[in-house]
Amino acid sequence: MNSPCPDAGGITILVIDDSATMRTCVAGYLRDAGYRVVLAEDGFDALAKLGDCRPALVVCDVVMPRLDGYRTCALIRASAGFRATPVLMLSSKEGLFDRARGSLAGASASLAKPLAREALLAAVRQHLAAGTPR
């Protein structure tokens, strides 16, 4: 299910990652948990799909070509329609600087790669329940 706006019921989550392996992995975890998933290969692809699929939450890789995750997150936050949409950043970098940079871009949380299934699902549940970006 890689269409811009799936027709099935449920909560939609937009997954942005330039790695096909990570997209498949994250999408599998989320679909198994009952979420609808829309996939994007990079920030530009994600921004093009955002308005059509209206995700309840975004999972975004940090390191991507053309438009990195920090800039993608900042652009999502700059949009009035998606300002309150939680954005979870995925990063292989776990340093304080990287978490601070994600926070400045508007990220709701940062998750470390390699990604643990339960950590992802717990963060998704927490931020969907909160209903606020941070």
Side-chain angles (χ1 to χ4, degrees):
M1 182 184 311
N2 192 15
S3 65
C5 193
D7 293 328
I11 295 170
T12 300
I13 297 176
L14 176 61
V15 175
I16 313 163
D17 201 307
D18 60 315
S19 164
T21 302
M22 278 304 296
R23 282 193 312 272
T24 300
C25 177
V26 173
Y29 292 162
L30 295 170
R31 286 183 182 131
D32 288 349
Y35 298 105
R36 291 187 299 154
V37 178
V38 175
L39 302 175
E41 295 180 8
D42 61 33
F44 288 115
D45 186 26
L47 293 173
K49 293 176 177 179
L50 196 63
D52 289 335
C53 71
R54 310 221 32 99
L57 184 137
V58 176
V59 177
C60 184
D61 184 27
V62 168
V63 180
M64 296 185 291
R66 302 191 321 144
L67 188 63
D68 71 17
Y70 299 124
R71 188 70 185 131
T72 301
C73 181
L75 289 169
I76 291 169
R77 288 283 180 246
S79 170
F82 299 99
R83 190 166 288 131
T85 303
V87 178
L88 306 180
M89 303 297 288
L90 301 179
S91 179
S92 55
K93 302 174 181 182
E94 295 186 59
L96 179 62
F97 174 78
D98 297 299
R99 286 194 307 271
R101 188 170 175 203
S103 182
L104 287 172
S108 304
S110 294
L111 301 171
K113 289 181 180 180
L115 186 62
R117 179 183 185 277
E118 284 309 314
L120 171 67
L121 295 178
V124 166
R125 286 189 297 266
Q126 174 189 351
H127 290 281
L128 286 175
T132 58
R134 290 192 240 183

